[in-house]
């Protein structure tokens, strides 16, 4: 497929961009590190070399009380200009363009980090913050509006090509606009016009400060996804007001951080919110940028071609592959390391106060020290196991010039990624496997499927080093009755080697058990296409179709401990568990297992015994490392242990790929 429309230049104010792909703003947290500015510069320059049209930085605080602390990006003092120049110089040297995002978190601010009291339109505590903000007075409001303008001037002095005003995601400007967070009755709150005033005044003041030619983008909330918040009609009115205030383009954001609706997780269909940008585009004349779950330039091409927006924003896809635009321009779509929206190393890290990286591309944040250097001596290296750890190790080793052979006892590569990709809402894992297959083929890695490697066979074949990535063995707990014929291990279910009945008890309630539950309750009787047909021709109503789309199974997840879904990411766990509850999965915690019988599982719950009836009992109670080959090779060959074989984490692809990348650079 050609992608000519997305690659067309576009004018944003006085700025011409080489294509219509914008790298959306992300907090990556590199500023915390001693050489943070240099790391940020290297990170953004790498994306500029990948030919992205415009980069937008993570939010830069326009005043101390609206930021994320001294360690993060700030633009509220003149002394912040020089460090920012390091970033713009690196991006311009790489022939890219970059905008600084002007940011104020309002009631989302962590005052423990900033050291000052947080402020907001009204003194209402956010559900995701333990501090209640102070209501802003007239002086605070005037000073903050001016702070946005002063920040824009500093950005211009630091060499940025544009600024983006952050008015989305439930931050300060968004808080002024929404009746949920703005309960004021003065000229800054009440009816829509007064609630909109703060965002409009910020836009006008920024435009006046930077002059008529400097590009100013406004990141607006297209959909708050918070009950009783701004209506769509008000949103479109606001877009017109912001256009009239002199901004050059509108970047349409979706959802607040406190929203109970997933907006960027893997379970969200690709491009699910483009319709919002399309409505904004129909209301204004300036360029409009669509965002959220756009991770393929062919998908972006269709959006532009159909006139649904003027540009697309890709944030995390540029973490997963800094070269996505260049590769796509060259038609190398199979070589793109696609963002699968797992959130595990990006958002989860940031919300845990760590540095952001990427599960499928751990080079993120390590651009300086992990530059790929060709091997001084090419060696013959065996990689045993083709799960995520082994695949990444083989890819990096081959790219550095080693002769690599993969041994995999199954009939396909992927290891436990082949389990994950079967789960409804996790189909994106297919993209990771497609990427690895394309890389192994391109780099000439020999893959031997259905072949078990032994210490003797590896020695006989003359391998100089071995990477053991043999994964895990499912753990079988000592429960009376565990050997009964209707008791099966989770791997046999995923591999379609076990029939599963209508009533299911899962022993275990971690990430694997959650995946299994999704798979079992959403094992569809009709396909989405069939469902559409049945609805369109009114053969069945929506309720009947919904009933057909469920498997009809009753699933119980059992756990000795208190919490379900441990090991799931901080930013996605709530959505996963809510989805399971919607599908009727019962989670029974803080129990002891007494016995498995032909009728089900007898558990002890607060000194009472009860039978959880089940036709099938599935064991998903963790795993142990499959490290026997590693021990057998000790003393005969240099051997490296990675992934689940090293530590039996629960489907921990993030650690596995990281360890594969590290060992690939070490040999």
């Amino acid at each position: 497929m050609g992608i000519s429309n997305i690659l067309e230049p576009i004018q944003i104010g006085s700025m011409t961009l080489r294509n219509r792909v914008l790298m959306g703003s992300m907090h990556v947290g590199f500023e915390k590190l001693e050489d943070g500015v240099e790391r940020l510069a290297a990170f953004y320059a790498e994306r500029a070399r990948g030919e992205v049209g415009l980069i937008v930085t993570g939010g830069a605080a326009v005043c101390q009380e609206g930021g994320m602390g001294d360690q993060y990006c700030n633009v509220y003092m003149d002394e912040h200009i020089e460090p920012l120049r390091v970033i713009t110089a690196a991006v311009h040297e790489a022939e890219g363009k970059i905008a600084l995002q002007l940011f104020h978190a309002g009631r989302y601010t962590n005052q423990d980090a900033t050291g000052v009291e947080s402020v907001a339109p009204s003194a209402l505590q956010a559900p995701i913050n333990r501090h209640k903000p102070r209501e802003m007075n007239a002086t605070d409001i005037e000073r903050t509006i001016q702070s946005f303008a002063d920040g824009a001037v500093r950005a211009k002095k630091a060499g940025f090509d544009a600024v983006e005003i952050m008015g989305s995601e439930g931050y300060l400007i968004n808080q002024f606009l929404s009746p949920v967070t703005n309960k004021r009755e003065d000229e800054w709150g009440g009816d829509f016009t007064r609630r909109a005033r703060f965002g409009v005044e910020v836009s006008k003041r920024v435009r006046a400060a930077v002059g008529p030619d400097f590009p100013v983008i406004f990141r607006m909330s297209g959909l708050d996804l918070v009950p009783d918040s701004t209506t769509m009609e008000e949103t479109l009115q606001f877009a017109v007001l912001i256009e009239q205030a002199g901004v050059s383009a509108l970047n349409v954001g979706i959802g607040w951080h406190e929203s109970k609706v997933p907006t960027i997780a893997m379970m969200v269909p690709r491009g699910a919110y483009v319709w919002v940008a399309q409505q904004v585009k129909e209301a204004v004349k300036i360029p409009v940028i669509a965002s959220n779950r756009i991770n393929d330039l062919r998908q972006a091409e269709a959006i532009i071609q159909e006139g649904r927006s003027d540009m697309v924003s890709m944030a995390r896809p540029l973490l997963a592959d800094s070269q996505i635009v260049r590769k796509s321009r060259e038609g190398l779509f199979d070589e793109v390391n696609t963002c699968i929206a797992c959130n595990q190393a990006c958002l989860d890290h940031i919300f845990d106060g760590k540095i952001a990286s990427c599960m499928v591309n751990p080079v993120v944040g390590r651009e300086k020290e992990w530059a790929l250097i060709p091997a001084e001596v090419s060696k013959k290296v065996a990689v045993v196991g083709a799960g995520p750890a082994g695949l990444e190790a083989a890819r990096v080793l081959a790219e550095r010039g080693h002769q690599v052979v993969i041994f995999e006892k199954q009939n396909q590569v992927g290891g436990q990624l082949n389990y994950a990709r079967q789960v409804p809402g996790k189909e994106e894992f297919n993209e990771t496997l497609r990427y690895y297959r394309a890389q192994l083929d391109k780099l000439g890695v020999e893959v031997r499927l259905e072949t078990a490697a032994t210490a003797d066979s590896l020695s006989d074949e003359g391998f100089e080093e071995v990477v053991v990535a043999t994964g895990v063995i499912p753990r079988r707990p000592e429960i009376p009755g565990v050997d009964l014929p209707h008791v099966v291990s989770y791997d046999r279910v995923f591999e379609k080697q076990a029939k599963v009945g209508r009533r299911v008890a899962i022993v275990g309630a971690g990430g694997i058990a959650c995946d299994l539950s999704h798979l079992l309750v959403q094992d569809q009787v009709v396909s989405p296409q069939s469902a559409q047909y049945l609805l369109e021709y009114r053969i069945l109503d929506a309720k009947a179709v919904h009933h057909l789309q469920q498997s009809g199974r009753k699933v119980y997840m059992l756990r000795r401990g208190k919490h379900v879904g441990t090991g799931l990411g901080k930013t996605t766990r709530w959505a996963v568990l809510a989805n399971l509850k919607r599908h009727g999965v019962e989670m029974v915690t803080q129990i002891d297992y007494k016995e498995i019988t032909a009728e089900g599982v007898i558990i002890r719950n607060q000194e009472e015994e009860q039978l959880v009836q089940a036709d099938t009992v599935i064991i998903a109670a963790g795993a142990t490392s499959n490290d026997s080959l590693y021990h057998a090779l000790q003393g005969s060959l240099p051997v490296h242990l990675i992934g689940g074989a090293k530590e039996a984490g629960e489907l921990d692809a993030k650690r596995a790929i990281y360890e594969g990348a590290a060992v690939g650079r070490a040999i």
Side-chain angles (χ1 to χ4, degrees):
M1 164 180 182
I3 53 167
S4 56
N5 291 278
I6 191 73
L7 297 176
E8 272 181 13
I10 186 171
Q11 197 78 12
I12 304 287
S14 61
M15 172 177 63
T16 304
L17 302 177
R18 59 176 152 188
N19 57 52
R20 292 165 184 255
V21 181
L22 175 138
M23 175 172 161
S25 173
M26 291 173 283
H27 288 293
V28 287
F30 304 164
E31 308 95 311
K32 289 178 170 187
L33 304 170
E34 199 176 328
D35 58 347
V37 174
E38 288 79 11
R39 276 180 192 268
L40 266 179
F43 168 73
Y44 289 131
E46 178 67 18
R47 274 79 200 156
R49 279 189 289 276
E51 301 180 11
V52 67
L54 177 66
I55 294 164
V56 182
T57 67
V62 296
C63 47
Q64 188 179 358
E65 67 271 20
M68 296 175 74
D70 287 341
Q71 293 176 308
Y72 284 88
C73 205
N74 297 306
V75 69
Y76 59 81
M77 292 195 289
D78 287 346
E79 65 197 54
H80 296 142
I81 296 171
E82 280 309 311
L84 291 171
R85 254 197 205 116
V86 176
I87 294 168
T88 56
V91 169
H92 292 152
E93 191 182 334
E95 299 182 5
K97 285 192 162 63
I98 186 164
L100 184 79
Q101 188 184 78
L102 304 170
F103 175 87
H104 192 305
R107 73 181 196 149
Y108 283 170
T109 307
N110 177 359
Q111 64 185 48
D112 293 333
T114 62
V116 290
E117 190 177 21
S118 55
V119 296
S122 300
L124 298 169
Q125 188 173 341
I128 57 171
N129 198 337
R130 62 194 190 91
H131 297 291
K132 185 178 178 180
R134 173 176 63 77
E135 181 173 307
M136 296 169 78
N137 59 35
T139 307
D140 295 324
I141 290 172
E142 166 54 33
R143 186 171 54 80
T144 304
I145 292 170
Q146 190 56 43
S147 295
F148 274 95
D150 294 343
V153 170
R154 291 187 187 102
K156 195 174 176 182
K157 286 179 179 172
F160 285 93
D161 302 286
V163 290
E164 178 177 86
I165 299 165
M166 178 38 127
S168 179
E169 263 75 12
Y171 292 120
L172 182 71
I173 294 174
N174 211 171
Q175 290 162 25
F176 266 98
L177 183 64
S178 172
V180 172
T181 43
N182 186 345
K183 303 295 185 186
R184 305 175 74 96
E185 293 177 359
D186 60 3
E187 64 268 38
W188 300 101
D191 61 18
F192 165 74
T193 307
R194 287 182 290 167
R195 295 199 314 273
R197 186 181 171 202
F198 184 79
V200 171
E201 289 301 320
V202 166
S203 302
K204 284 179 178 175
R205 195 78 63 89
V206 168
R207 169 51 71 213
V210 295
D213 297 329
F214 192 72
V216 177
I217 301 166
F218 191 95
R219 170 85 169 173
M220 64 173 285
S221 180
L223 209 59
D224 293 348
L225 298 176
V226 171
D228 306 315
S229 197
T230 315
T231 66
M232 182 54 77
E233 186 186 359
E234 289 174 334
T235 296
L236 299 178
Q237 282 179 269
F238 185 64
V240 172
L241 290 173
I242 295 297
E243 178 183 32
Q244 290 168 353
V247 306
S248 318
L250 290 170
N251 187 2
V252 183
I254 303 292
W256 289 18
H257 289 310
E258 65 197 75
S259 168
K260 297 286 192 288
V261 179
T263 56
I264 56 172
M266 196 187 298
M267 64 184 69
V268 180
R270 291 188 186 186
Y273 293 102
V274 174
W275 62 272
V276 183
Q278 186 172 353
Q279 290 201 28
V280 174
K281 180 173 165 55
E282 288 163 8
V284 299
K285 295 181 178 66
I286 54 176
V288 170
I289 304 156
S291 68
N292 288 59
R293 288 292 281 125
I294 302 167
N295 65 352
D296 187 311
L297 256 75
R298 291 165 292 190
Q299 173 199 5
E301 170 70 13
I303 293 165
I304 302 299
Q305 191 177 28
E306 292 159 13
R308 303 178 73 191
S309 72
D310 301 288
M311 290 185 72
V312 298
S313 170
M314 290 179 152
R316 295 169 306 159
L318 279 139
L319 293 180
D321 197 327
S322 64
Q323 306 299 303
I324 182 172
V325 180
R326 178 191 60 76
K327 287 178 182 177
S328 300
R329 179 180 60 73
E330 294 173 3
L332 305 173
F333 298 108
D334 274 355
E335 290 190 24
V336 171
N337 194 1
T338 304
C339 167
I340 60 172
C342 66
N343 294 358
Q344 288 182 30
C346 51
L347 282 169
D348 287 349
H349 276 207
I350 290 299
F351 279 98
D352 267 343
K354 299 175 187 167
I355 306 301
S357 187
C358 175
M359 185 184 95
V360 299
N361 179 23
V363 176
V364 170
R366 303 177 177 93
E367 280 83 1
K368 286 172 70 182
E369 64 267 43
W370 268 21
L372 217 59
I373 298 162
E376 286 181 23
V377 180
S378 177
K379 292 181 176 178
K380 187 177 180 183
V381 183
V383 175
V384 185
L391 290 171
E392 177 66 4
R395 185 193 72 79
V396 176
L397 286 163
E399 200 166 341
R400 290 186 54 234
H402 292 298
Q403 182 191 341
V404 183
V405 179
I406 289 181
F407 294 85
E408 171 54 55
K409 65 180 181 181
Q410 300 292 342
N411 62 1
Q412 60 183 341
V413 302
Q416 296 207 5
L417 292 182
N418 286 312
Y419 300 168
R421 69 191 180 94
Q422 298 176 43
V423 178
K426 286 196 166 186
E427 293 84 0
E428 292 283 16
F429 276 107
N430 285 309
E431 298 289 354
T432 305
L433 289 171
R434 180 264 311 147
Y435 166 74
Y436 277 119
R437 283 193 291 262
Q439 289 295 304
L440 299 182
D441 188 46
K442 176 192 169 190
L443 296 166
V445 174
E446 184 186 341
V447 181
R448 298 185 195 172
L449 299 175
E450 299 180 346
T451 306
T454 64
D456 289 341
S457 68
L458 293 171
S459 298
D460 292 347
E461 235 186 289
F463 286 103
E464 293 165 83
E465 299 209 26
V466 179
V467 176
V468 174
T470 40
V472 298
I473 301 164
R475 196 172 68 82
R476 205 146 177 88
E478 290 181 15
I479 303 170
V482 77
D483 295 321
L484 287 169
H486 67 307
V487 181
V488 296
S489 180
Y490 71 85
D491 56 332
R492 292 190 59 216
V493 178
F494 279 118
E495 288 165 20
K496 313 238 180 329
Q497 293 175 0
K499 281 189 75 172
V500 179
R502 308 298 281 172
R503 294 174 305 176
V504 181
I506 301 176
V507 174
I512 291 173
C514 288
D515 275 356
L516 261 178
S517 299
H518 274 301
L519 184 65
L520 294 172
V521 295
Q522 290 183 263
D523 187 7
Q524 295 173 351
V525 179
V526 295
S527 68
Q529 292 85 351
S530 300
Q532 184 73 19
Y533 162 76
L534 293 168
L535 282 169
E536 269 184 24
Y537 286 92
R538 299 183 182 179
I539 298 164
L540 294 173
D541 63 13
K543 190 176 178 183
V545 169
H546 178 74
H547 182 70
L548 268 185
Q549 287 183 304
Q550 312 308 309
S551 67
R553 284 198 180 94
K554 181 63 191 174
V555 176
Y556 295 89
M557 289 166 66
L558 311 176
R559 172 154 254 181
R560 285 194 173 102
K562 188 177 182 180
H563 300 292
V564 172
T566 48
L568 294 175
K570 193 171 190 172
T571 61
T572 49
R573 179 176 176 267
W574 63 273
V576 169
L577 298 185
N579 199 5
L580 287 173
K581 284 173 184 168
R582 265 199 310 278
H583 284 94
V585 174
E586 284 194 42
M587 303 163 194
V588 188
T589 58
Q590 295 179 288
I591 57 143
D592 284 316
Y593 299 103
K594 191 181 179 213
E595 186 185 1
I596 299 171
T597 68
E599 287 74 41
V601 184
I602 299 172
I603 60 171
R604 190 178 287 110
N605 196 344
Q606 295 177 338
E607 303 308 314
E608 285 183 24
E609 279 188 14
Q610 69 180 87
L611 171 68
V612 177
Q613 290 191 325
D615 310 312
T616 307
V617 178
I618 303 173
I619 306 296
T624 55
S625 293
N626 182 11
D627 56 2
S628 56
L629 178 63
Y630 173 76
H631 294 296
L633 284 165
Q634 293 274 288
S636 62
L637 279 172
V639 59
H640 310 265
L641 188 65
I642 60 171
K646 181 180 179 183
E647 185 184 331
E650 210 183 278
L651 282 185
D652 193 352
K654 180 180 74 172
R655 179 175 60 82
I657 293 172
Y658 168 82
E659 289 178 2
V663 81
R665 285 165 170 80
I667 293 174

